[in-house]
Amino acid sequence: MRLPTRILARGAAVAAITLALAGTSGPAGAAPVPGDPLAAYRSIVETLGALGVQPFLYPTAAPFCADGAPLGLVPAVAGAVPGPWPGALLPVPGLDQAAVRAGQVMFTFLPAGIADGSGIQVLWFNTSTGRGGSAAMGSLGDVAAGLLPAALPPELRAIAEAAVRDFLTRAIPVGGVRAVPVDTGRGTVLAAVFGSVRNGDTSCFFLPTVGIISA
């Protein structure tokens, strides 16, 4: 039995997204070294680079957040990737296959060794259009759902979400990664990422870090 062309196109879109993401590999064994903020920072930067994400201008940290490190510092790095990303591998007419679409920016935040990241947010301003706003960063599950084209039907969306989520979990070897795709529009985007997280019973505040993105 031949499947309708529309269903085949949708299936090809899911395959394109999955293959494009799976073709990007994070560094193996890049878990941060406990008590060594510099090594942890290098690990996170390598991870972002492997994913094609541009780190912000400088790292950030939460002081008095963890035992075994100078001043209890927990380092973190924010980054951004403008759309279209990661790009389409299979041409499907009429369907945008890019996870992050043109005019969007996906912001990411990777704290070293912190499993929670529920209080991280991004403030952004597009200097080319005068538009700006804020967005709360979500979990990998939230990101997987938000990165897929709206045209995917429910029966394929669940499979695609699982594939993207599993890839991100394998590719990013640090806990607490947060991200959010934002409709910034095209132009030069200024952004600041900051917020509070929980490390066990300790409340940790990550100081703002700033980035400049060409969307």
Side-chain angles (χ1 to χ4, degrees), residues 21-112:
L21 289 172
T24 311
S25 59
V33 179
D36 189 345
L38 182 58
Y41 167 67
R42 286 197 299 264
S43 171
I44 295 173
V45 169
E46 290 172 1
T47 298
L48 287 174
L51 292 172
V53 179
Q54 174 187 341
F56 274 20
L57 297 177
Y58 54 87
T60 183
F64 313 111
C65 184
D67 298 329
L71 296 178
L73 287 175
V74 172
V77 176
V81 55
W85 179 89
L89 296 182
L90 298 177
V92 180
L95 186 59
D96 189 349
Q97 298 174 52
V100 182
R101 295 179 291 279
Q104 287 187 324
V105 174
M106 185 176 74
F107 296 99
T108 63
F109 181 80
L110 288 83

Side-chain angles (χ1 to χ4, degrees), residues 56 107 120-124 133-137 180 182 190-194:
F56 274 20
F107 296 99
I120 302 299
Q121 62 178 315
V122 57
L123 300 179
W124 62 273
S134 64
M137 291 195 172
V180 62
V182 177
L190 307 180
V193 171
F194 60 93

Side-chain angles (χ1 to χ4, degrees), residues 77-175:
V77 176
V81 55
W85 179 89
L89 296 182
L90 298 177
V92 180
L95 186 59
D96 189 349
Q97 298 174 52
V100 182
R101 295 179 291 279
Q104 287 187 324
V105 174
M106 185 176 74
F107 296 99
T108 63
F109 181 80
L110 288 83
I114 301 293
D116 174 62
S118 55
I120 302 299
Q121 62 178 315
V122 57
L123 300 179
W124 62 273
F125 178 74
N126 189 326
T127 62
S128 303
T129 65
R131 293 179 57 238
S134 64
M137 291 195 172
S139 66
L140 290 183
D142 297 331
V143 172
L147 289 182
L148 297 175
L152 287 177
E155 63 271 18
L156 294 179
R157 177 169 291 277
I159 298 173
E161 283 182 18
V164 175
R165 183 176 61 252
D166 291 347
F167 163 76
L168 291 174
T169 301
R170 293 192 306 270
I172 304 176
V174 291

